[in-house]
Amino acid sequence: MSNEHYLIASYFLVAFVSLCLGAVAYRVLRTPFAALAELVAGTGSTILKRALGFSMTMAAVLGFLGVSYTQKGCMNFQQVVKNRDYLVQLNREQLQGTGNWIVYAVFTWCVVVLICLLVLRNKESKRNDQTT
């Protein structure tokens, strides 16, 4: 397999793996987050659940696309294709970037969950104050 074919095949393979990583993160977080969103937001929980899926997918895409093959225009296509070790290194950087962005998205959703828990606690305390 020539380096040019390797570049094309690995680009699409890493893109697919990146999207799968985003989907796996969403699948793992979907059920617990949906239960919490239902408690806090009620009918608005659908928006929160969709936003979670969208953000995990976008995090994977942004991590994948955040790696430049030409190092900000310093290399041309022929120089990129010439070195297979460089191509492998960039594939690793793309996967690492995907993982980093997914972690950032998860931490952001942790803040959202924390806010939701605080809102839920305030709702329950107001309800208890009204009944006593």
Side-chain angles (χ1 to χ4, degrees), residues 21-22 25 29 55-56 59-60 63 95-111:
L21 287 173
L29 298 173
S55 66
M56 290 300 143
L95 290 173
Q96 182 179 3
T98 297
N100 289 342
W101 274 87
I102 289 172
V103 167
Y104 300 151
V106 168
F107 281 143
T108 302
W109 280 104
C110 286
V111 171

Side-chain angles (χ1 to χ4, degrees), residues 21-73:
L21 287 173
V24 166
Y26 171 68
R27 294 278 296 174
V28 168
L29 298 173
R30 176 180 65 165
T31 304
F33 183 77
L36 181 67
E38 189 68 36
L39 281 174
V40 174
T43 58
S45 67
T46 305
I47 295 170
L48 288 174
K49 290 185 270 187
R50 287 183 182 168
L52 178 69
F54 178 75
S55 66
M56 290 300 143
T57 305
M58 287 309 298
V61 170
L62 288 173
F64 170 75
L65 293 177
V67 175
S68 172
Y69 277 81
T70 60
Q71 296 179 349
K72 300 177 182 150

Side-chain angles (χ1 to χ4, degrees), residues 121-132:
R121 189 173 95 187
N122 285 340
K123 278 183 180 180
E124 288 179 2
S125 67
K126 284 181 184 179
R127 193 175 318 145
N128 289 338
D129 290 344
Q130 290 174 355
T131 59
T132 57

Side-chain angles (χ1 to χ4, degrees), residues 3-4 6-7 69 75 77-90:
N3 284 351
E4 189 170 338
Y6 176 81
L7 171 66
Y69 277 81
M75 299 175 73
F77 181 75
Q78 296 304 325
Q79 291 171 324
V80 170
V81 173
K82 183 170 58 173
N83 188 355
R84 178 151 320 185
D85 291 333
Y86 178 70
L87 296 174
V88 171
Q89 174 192 352
L90 288 175

